[in-house]
Amino acid sequence: MTAPSDPAAPTLAIGAIFKNEAPYILEWVAFHRVVGVERFFVADNNSDDESTPLLAGLQTIGAIDHIPFPHVPDSPPQMPAYVEILRRHGDDADWIAFIDADEFLVPSDPAATVADALGRLGDDVGVVGVNWASYGSSFRTEATPGLVTERFTWRATQKFGANHHYKSIVRVRGVEGVGKNPHAFPLKAGFVEAHPSGAPLAPLPKRPKGLSAAVEWAPLRLNHYLVKSRDEFLFKKSARGRATSVTKRRGEAYFNSHDRNDLEEAMSPLLIERTREEMARLKARLIEAGLDRAVVDVDLAVAEITARSGGRQPAPAEAPAARRRGSIGRTVVTPTTVTLQGWALEEGRGPIAEFALRVGDRMVPAAVKARIPRPDLARQYPRAPNLCGFRLAVDVQELGAEALLRSDVAVVAGSPGFDIAFSPAAAWDKAVEDALVAAGAPPLATASPETRAALIGDFVKGRLRPG
């Protein structure tokens, strides 16, 4: 285990809530011990797999603090769990990183620790916002043995909209408690939010707390393995539901929009090696403490997902007749036309010929070119038809200023219900903002909603002029 060399160094802990994460717990704990996390406060939310005995075993050997946390019915458990973690353990650590079981704090320098980055920050930093680095399925369908950090090596680009999300490492004495969502925490007077680099953290305009205007990955980022393989997504994440909601589940649309495999960047071999070594030490201690080997064996837990995928099929939140995938890859807004390019496919069917544009509840007429060759998709989706690309062109006057102000814009592909939304919605806002600036508007980062609306109105009416 890598730990701070100074005995007086601030204590770093992680606070988390788990539900049915048995295949991944040991790796997650071992990895974070390697990068210098000293304490783990884990709320166990009604798990019915092997999570509970494994977490209890890890507490027995002193590796974590296990907090049984059966939540109140009809009440989302995540924020109450964070309240309980701070109540119980607020005096046990100087810093607490509130992250999930599919998130890994990764220093840019594999030989460094998370505490190294925190130690360079000013005393007035109360919250450190660590941006996501979103990883996709890496073209994997089945759950296979091996570490999460080793199996999934393909990620989205840094500019991918979801990466504007950050999770907080809080200086306990600098926050007023928990916030309204798991990403951001209210600060006490005199404290500020910062990126791990020490740069001030500015919020993403017009978005909820927890999204930053800039996406920074140095000296620390949060690798987010948010879908894993399709089987793991369906049998774990989708079936489990969300800790922030009692009604919402992540279904097919979520998988399609977040399964981003744009470029390959594997985890540092040094961190992989050290994680495996730490896992071996933890396993030996757990078995010595009397824990059943079947509970400790990570590969057995992953293999169970594969076995289940060949038999009983869980009902995900959305269960279409065929798997639908699609993406809007490029949007160009000019004073006369809005052009959207992307691709769409339905598993087991030929190329889609019909497309339309939806803004809210309104369908907008568009000039459509379908069946555009997209040979690049064959590597990711081997059964994808070659002619699955599309291009839509919409008259700005037909679209109207109100549509340019909205974020609920989607391409409807083929049959009703197959909507390809912008991922994230901020991509639409960015395309509109770029067009306004090119037409002569000032940068909109600090513009009020009223100013933005007025500028978009002038743009549609042709009143903006460069220079």
Side-chain angles (χ1 to χ4, degrees):
M1 170 182 170
T2 303
S5 57
D6 180 1
T11 303
L12 171 62
I14 287 178
I17 177 171
F18 285 1
K19 182 180 179 70
N20 294 344
E21 298 285 1
Y24 316 115
I25 290 171
L26 206 60
E27 175 189 357
W28 184 87
V29 171
F31 179 93
H32 285 106
R33 285 167 66 91
V34 164
V35 297
V37 177
E38 299 165 84
R39 299 287 300 273
F40 297 83
F41 312 131
V42 181
D44 180 6
N45 179 226
N46 293 340
S47 295
D48 56 16
D49 64 355
E50 299 292 352
S51 294
T52 297
L54 180 54
L55 291 170
L58 286 167
Q59 173 164 286
T60 298
I61 65 172
I64 72 164
D65 289 272
H66 177 214
I67 306 170
F69 197 76
H71 69 272
V72 177
D74 300 322
S75 175
Q78 188 158 17
M79 305 318 297
Y82 286 1
V83 170
E84 181 66 8
I85 287 169
L86 282 174
R87 185 188 72 80
R88 291 193 186 199
H89 296 291
D91 294 331
D92 296 337
D94 301 289
W95 294 91
I96 302 179
F98 286 91
I99 65 174
D100 295 335
D102 58 1
E103 297 172 331
F104 290 71
L105 288 163
V106 182
S108 302
D109 177 0
T113 68
V114 178
D116 291 336
L118 299 178
R120 291 190 286 268
L121 299 173
D123 291 338
D124 62 338
V125 174
V127 169
V128 182
V130 187
N131 285 112
W132 281 352
S134 298
Y135 276 74
S137 66
S138 294
F139 319 114
R140 294 175 180 267
T141 300
E142 296 181 351
T144 54
L147 305 184
V148 169
T149 50
E150 196 171 35
R151 290 186 291 138
F152 302 102
T153 60
W154 287 79
R155 62 166 174 81
T157 65
Q158 190 165 348
K159 294 181 179 179
F160 177 50
N163 291 335
H164 285 274
H165 286 92
Y166 63 85
K167 286 296 185 71
S168 294
I169 307 177
V170 305
R171 193 193 299 264
V172 178
R173 62 181 175 84
V175 296
E176 292 283 6
V178 305
K180 295 182 179 180
N181 68 51
H183 295 266
F185 289 71
L187 293 162
K188 289 182 178 178
F191 287 92
V192 299
E193 283 185 298
H195 287 282
S197 65
L201 191 152
L204 187 65
K206 302 194 303 176
R207 293 287 176 253
K209 289 282 289 181
L211 288 89
S212 59
V215 177
E216 291 198 8
W217 283 356
L220 188 64
R221 75 186 197 191
L222 194 64
N223 279 15
H224 191 189
Y225 301 94
L226 64 175
V227 295
K228 302 187 179 76
S229 68
R230 174 170 284 278
D231 282 352
E232 285 165 280
F233 176 81
L234 290 176
F235 286 89
K236 281 300 198 183
K237 193 157 195 166
S238 180
R240 180 177 63 236
R242 305 182 71 166
T244 53
S245 171
V246 295
T247 58
K248 294 181 180 178
R249 289 189 176 187
R250 296 179 173 96
E252 188 80 8
Y254 183 93
F255 184 91
N256 290 340
S257 62
H258 291 82
D259 182 22
R260 299 296 294 263
N261 305 282
D262 300 324
L263 54 92
E264 187 170 25
E265 183 184 11
M267 180 64 72
S268 156
L270 176 64
L271 288 178
I272 293 290
E273 179 185 359
R274 290 181 175 176
T275 298
R276 286 192 174 280
E277 291 171 352
E278 183 63 21
M279 286 178 69
R281 284 190 286 268
L282 290 172
K283 284 182 179 181
R285 292 173 61 193
L286 287 166
I287 292 170
E288 184 179 352
L291 201 64
D292 192 309
R293 288 179 181 272
V295 176
V296 177
D297 195 318
V298 176
D299 289 345
L300 281 179
V302 173
E304 181 185 357
I305 300 171
T306 302
R308 289 176 61 198
S309 69
R312 178 176 62 86
Q313 292 291 327
E318 304 161 28
R323 290 179 180 173
R324 295 165 165 176
R325 310 174 190 271
S327 175
I328 301 170
R330 186 166 183 258
T331 303
V332 178
V333 181
T334 73
T336 59
T337 309
V338 175
T339 304
L340 303 96
Q341 295 179 219
W343 59 271
L345 61 92
E346 291 189 82
E347 186 177 283
R349 300 185 183 179
I352 297 171
E354 297 180 1
F355 294 87
L357 185 68
R358 179 182 58 75
V359 180
D361 297 326
R362 179 169 69 99
M363 302 303 295
V364 180
V368 178
K369 181 175 177 56
R371 299 183 176 180
I372 297 173
R374 287 297 302 266
D376 56 303
L377 292 174
R379 179 165 54 85
Q380 184 169 358
Y381 305 112
R383 289 182 287 178
N386 180 47
L387 302 177
C388 60
F390 65 81
R391 181 168 63 248
L392 277 69
V394 186
D395 184 88
V396 166
Q397 297 290 333
E398 185 72 41
L399 196 59
E402 182 182 352
L404 293 176
L405 278 166
R406 300 179 67 126
S407 294
D408 52 345
V409 179
V411 171
V412 180
S415 56
F418 186 4
D419 285 9
I420 305 170
F422 282 86
S423 179
W428 172 258
D429 295 339
K430 179 68 165 56
V432 173
E433 180 175 339
D434 289 348
L436 264 63
V437 172
L444 303 184
T446 58
S448 67
E450 294 78 13
T451 300
R452 182 183 178 86
L455 288 169
I456 288 177
D458 288 342
F459 175 79
V460 171
K461 295 174 183 177
R463 294 174 181 170
L464 293 180
R465 293 289 183 269

